[in-house]
Amino acid sequence: MTTNKHFRNYKIKAFINLGAAALFTVLSLSFHADISLLAFPLALIYTGVTTYFTLNMIFKTDGTHYYKVIKFTEYLPYYMFITFIIRRAGKTGTSFVCDTITVILWFIMFVLSYLTSACLYEKKNEKITQGWKILPKKMHFKGWGKVIFETVDWIDSFVWSIFTVLIFQIFVIQLYQIPSESMVPTFLIKDRVFVSKIDCGPKFPLTDVGLPNFRKYKRGDTIVLRNPHYSLDRKSEVKSVTAQLIHMLTFLTVDINKDENGEQKADPLVKRITGLPGEQLVMQDGVLYVRTKDSDEFIASEIDAKYANWNLNSISDKNIKSNIQRFPLSSEEYQNMLDFEEERRNYDLDVAAFQASELSRKMKSLSYKDNLIGHFQEPDLSEYDLFNNVQKITKNIMCQEGGAEWFESFMTSWIPAKDNVRDYYAESNFRLNVMTKITLGKIIVRYAQLLNDNVSATAWTNDYELISYFDKANTLNWYIQGLLDERNMPLFPANDSNGNPQYIPKNCYFMMGDNRFNSLDLRHTMDYFTKELTSDDPISVKYESMMQPQYINKKYIVGKPIFRFWPLRRLGKV
């Protein structure tokens, strides 16, 4: 047997590589009746075949099967990567210690497989094969044999490249296509960016083992994160990793990353960091306020104001503006919103309290005292339903026992809390609740007056007072149902039951999109639910809300966009 130093170096690396593969295979054992059972036999077969050809070549110095050794060695880390995922795709997974050891073994295989296979190719193997009994044969093909060989070689190179890109995307840099307009004008739909992952703590799939998170995040950073609106439990993570693997192996033609309704998942997301550990936030009228344990005062965030976009019509860049697909508000609507918010801020609650009492008094005088039919049933307190069913509610108040009493309670229940101290958001919503009640009360009293005066229903549509009240009702509905949850955010994290401030925990962050009227971000849930406008009114008006702020741990931050490479006219650093 030859004893040249190049061959000895190769043997040492090959033995270590095969040893790592053997230990990796043992750690793939599973005793659970699920898909994880497949990992061990699959790893064992591949390791056995690779070991057979490699040792046969080493001990017999027979280069007959050297090409098989090259290919089996090249694919060893990628094949084992698949078995790694299969072993952890079961119901129980593996321990952190097992994951750590397995990852170390995989990394050894990844490095040594490259080193040992690279030195066996024709241009580099002369020193290694010097003195062998059977030298490797150079491969020469003609005709159809050459065509087949070239085709297989091309497919081999392509598949190998896909695996390499997959590993590269998991740990180093990923290509990401912007899926929505939540970050306009920073990003447009189908913008393509490079996302740096290596400094954001990338982890091996389905484990907590990986590189540490070196990046220090600050407010204003754009980041790519896992979508917390989807379940991030073990089952969904297995599906997500499997989908990514299939997507790559099918040359990007098959994507099974769908939700329970069969729709494409919006995962991951690109957002901007707006809340940091140790902070409590509140957003009102588009202004984000921040406070910390060191200060009880909320301070408006200048950095957030720099990036938040509320009026896309004001964008001066024509190239960006012409490629925006949806403008949530026209310039006129945006101004109407500002005017309404100014009206709400200046709304006089003392005057409103007097109006509420006067409307209650008038309604008592207009209600029928005799021949009451049935007992009054409290209507649905949804803002939309109250205005939509106001005629029916009016007649029930007038004609049913307890109707006038309910109306008085409804109109005045907020007054005891009128002078309470509230944060920006709570005070704003308290005022919206009062404005809604006063407007509804005016409509109800006016309808009652028309009924008492025997004015025909056909004449109601031309009644000036009703028209003006319904104009106000439409504005309230437009803001409460359409803009409230997009424009504002309650105290977050919420105070505890004793009123003590709570703060975003260590290593956790809060994110929003730049295009605030078109961003399903960490302010919202994906489902509507009925919510009271204020907790300071026992008979508060309600609305359909998506407001459910949450922060996420930095382990769910996938990476940071660093460079936009498409379209070319917007080429540059993010």
Side-chain angles (χ1 to χ4, degrees):
M1 178 184 289
T2 181
T3 57
N4 74 76
K5 66 177 182 179
H6 299 287
F7 188 36
R8 285 198 305 270
N9 290 337
Y10 168 79
K11 286 194 296 182
I12 292 171
K13 294 173 186 175
F15 286 143
I16 296 174
N17 196 25
L18 294 175
L23 290 174
F24 185 99
T25 301
V26 172
L27 292 175
S28 298
L29 269 170
S30 173
F31 301 97
H32 303 283
D34 52 35
I35 192 173
S36 63
L37 277 175
L38 294 176
F40 178 73
L42 290 175
L44 181 64
I45 292 171
Y46 196 93
T47 301
V49 174
T50 305
T51 301
Y52 171 78
F53 284 123
T54 303
L55 295 184
N56 182 71
M57 185 184 72
I58 288 175
F59 288 113
K60 294 184 179 181
T61 61
D62 183 347
T64 304
H65 300 292
Y66 91 101
Y67 192 72
K68 294 177 183 177
V69 174
I70 291 174
K71 288 303 162 187
F72 272 99
T73 303
E74 278 183 342
Y75 280 103
L76 178 63
Y78 303 119
Y79 185 90
M80 291 305 192
F81 185 79
I82 295 176
T83 64
F84 181 93
I85 294 174
I86 293 174
R87 173 61 186 87
R88 286 149 186 81
K91 296 179 180 179
T92 57
T94 51
S95 69
F96 180 79
V97 173
C98 178
D99 288 340
T100 303
I101 296 173
T102 309
V103 166
I104 293 172
L105 293 171
W106 183 88
F107 183 75
I108 292 172
M109 286 188 288
F110 183 78
V111 174
L112 293 182
S113 291
Y114 171 77
L115 295 176
T116 55
S117 61
C119 66
L120 291 180
Y121 277 97
E122 291 182 4
K123 295 181 179 180
K124 298 181 179 180
N125 67 11
E126 292 182 357
K127 294 181 179 178
I128 291 177
T129 60
Q130 184 179 358
W132 279 22
K133 293 179 181 178
I134 302 176
L135 294 175
K137 294 181 180 180
K138 293 186 178 181
M139 307 175 85
H140 297 287
F141 297 94
K142 295 182 179 180
W144 282 105
K146 184 176 181 179
V147 173
I148 294 173
F149 174 79
E150 292 293 338
T151 302
V152 171
D153 189 58
W154 184 87
I155 294 174
D156 166 69
S157 299
F158 195 72
V159 172
W160 191 84
S161 299
I162 285 178
F163 273 112
T164 303
V165 170
L166 177 63
I167 299 300
F168 192 78
Q169 286 202 140
I170 289 175
F171 296 104
V172 185
I173 289 180
Q174 183 174 357
L175 306 184
Y176 182 75
Q177 178 173 292
I178 305 301
S180 72
E181 291 190 323
S182 68
M183 287 294 289
V184 171
T186 306
F187 296 116
L188 298 174
I189 290 178
K190 293 188 177 180
D191 276 3
R192 290 174 172 83
V193 295
F194 289 115
V195 176
S196 173
K197 302 181 75 173
I198 194 168
D199 56 348
C200 295
K203 300 294 186 287
F204 262 72
L206 307 179
T207 76
D208 291 324
V209 180
L211 299 176
N213 193 320
F214 298 109
R215 183 172 288 278
K216 300 296 183 182
Y217 301 105
K218 60 184 184 297
R219 196 184 334 274
D221 283 351
T222 54
I223 52 92
V224 176
L225 71 152
R226 296 298 309 279
N227 190 341
H229 297 111
Y230 298 118
S231 173
L232 296 178
D233 59 15
R234 177 169 186 76
K235 183 178 179 181
S236 61
E237 287 298 279
V238 169
K239 184 177 180 180
S240 177
V241 171
T242 303
Q244 184 179 11
L245 190 60
I246 292 176
H247 192 53
M248 296 296 294
L249 292 178
T250 58
F251 312 132
L252 311 183
T253 59
V254 178
D255 192 344
I256 63 170
N257 193 26
K258 306 290 180 67
D259 61 20
E260 59 272 12
N261 298 318
E263 299 293 332
Q264 191 69 41
K265 278 189 174 182
D267 185 30
L269 301 173
V270 58
K271 301 296 176 187
R272 193 179 298 278
I273 292 178
T274 52
L276 303 174
E279 294 182 340
Q280 188 179 45
L281 315 171
V282 68
M283 187 164 68
Q284 186 56 47
D285 297 344
V287 179
L288 181 69
Y289 298 91
V290 181
R291 73 176 174 186
T292 65
K293 295 179 180 178
D294 299 326
S295 173
D296 290 336
E297 183 181 2
F298 277 105
I299 306 297
S301 171
E302 295 181 3
I303 295 177
D304 187 71
K306 176 182 177 181
Y307 295 110
N309 193 293
W310 297 101
N311 183 17
L312 298 185
N313 299 281
S314 65
I315 294 175
S316 57
D317 191 316
K318 294 182 179 179
N319 287 327
I320 293 177
K321 195 170 183 178
S322 63
N323 284 282
I324 297 175
Q325 298 181 10
R326 177 177 176 267
F327 289 80
L329 296 178
S330 65
S331 296
E332 181 181 359
E333 289 172 328
Y334 182 74
Q335 186 58 51
N336 290 340
M337 178 194 70
L338 296 181
D339 293 341
F340 175 79
E341 291 175 342
E342 181 68 19
E343 178 187 351
R344 186 212 64 234
R345 286 191 291 270
N346 296 326
Y347 192 69
D348 193 322
L349 292 178
D350 291 324
V351 172
F354 174 78
Q355 290 177 325
S357 299
E358 280 298 291
L359 289 169
S360 300
R361 182 186 62 79
K362 288 181 181 179
M363 197 62 200
K364 282 183 179 180
S365 67
L366 294 169
S367 297
Y368 302 146
K369 304 295 189 299
D370 304 317
N371 301 321
L372 296 176
I373 304 172
H375 189 79
F376 182 81
Q377 298 294 318
E378 182 177 319
D380 189 328
L381 293 180
S382 162
E383 176 271 332
Y384 177 82
D385 288 337
L386 286 171
F387 285 120
N388 198 45
N389 299 316
V390 66
Q391 290 188 25
K392 179 181 178 181
I393 294 172
T394 302
K395 291 178 180 179
N396 288 344
I397 290 173
M398 295 177 69
C399 301
Q400 293 181 344
E401 183 180 352
E405 289 76 14
W406 175 86
F407 181 76
E408 181 179 20
S409 297
F410 174 77
M411 292 301 301
T412 61
S413 59
W414 58 272
I415 294 177
K418 174 172 63 71
D419 297 321
N420 288 1
V421 176
R422 288 174 282 265
D423 61 74
Y424 297 122
Y425 178 88
E427 178 65 22
S428 169
N429 279 21
F430 184 84
R431 289 168 177 266
L432 285 176
N433 176 65
V434 175
M435 293 171 74
T436 301
K437 286 191 169 189
I438 297 300
T439 302
L440 181 71
K442 289 178 178 179
I443 294 174
I444 289 175
V445 169
R446 183 55 184 164
Y447 269 135
Q449 290 173 337
L450 294 174
L451 286 169
N452 268 323
D453 293 342
N454 294 317
V455 177
S456 65
T458 55
W460 295 356
T461 56
N462 296 319
D463 186 81
Y464 175 79
E465 282 191 52
L466 280 178
I467 291 173
S468 63
Y469 296 153
F470 271 110
D471 283 344
K472 176 61 67 176
N474 287 332
T475 301
L476 282 163
N477 181 72
W478 172 66
Y479 190 89
I480 292 172
Q481 301 293 349
L483 303 180
L484 178 58
D485 279 5
E486 306 296 337
R487 182 74 166 158
N488 313 289
M489 184 180 73
L491 205 62
F492 176 75
N495 292 342
D496 65 17
S497 57
N498 295 320
N500 300 314
Q502 302 298 299
Y503 303 95
I504 298 174
K506 183 180 179 180
N507 293 327
C508 293
Y509 297 86
F510 178 76
M511 296 89 171
M512 289 189 284
D514 289 351
N515 184 6
R516 297 286 161 84
F517 280 131
N518 191 21
S519 176
L520 182 65
D521 49 45
L522 297 196
R523 292 172 292 170
H524 307 122
T525 179
M526 295 183 75
D527 300 310
Y528 284 96
F529 60 94
T530 302
K531 179 182 178 182
E532 294 178 341
L533 272 173
T534 177
S535 60
D536 280 351
D537 182 355
I539 315 179
S540 172
V541 173
K542 300 177 181 179
Y543 75 108
E544 294 301 303
S545 174
M546 296 179 72
M547 183 63 69
Q548 197 173 77
Q550 61 179 308
Y551 47 75
I552 67 163
N553 191 286
K554 69 178 182 180
K555 71 179 182 179
Y556 294 116
I557 296 178
V558 175
K560 187 181 189 319
I562 54 174
F563 191 82
R564 182 190 296 105
F565 63 91
W566 189 266
L568 294 178
R569 66 178 181 276
R570 285 160 50 77
L571 184 75
K573 182 181 178 181
V574 176

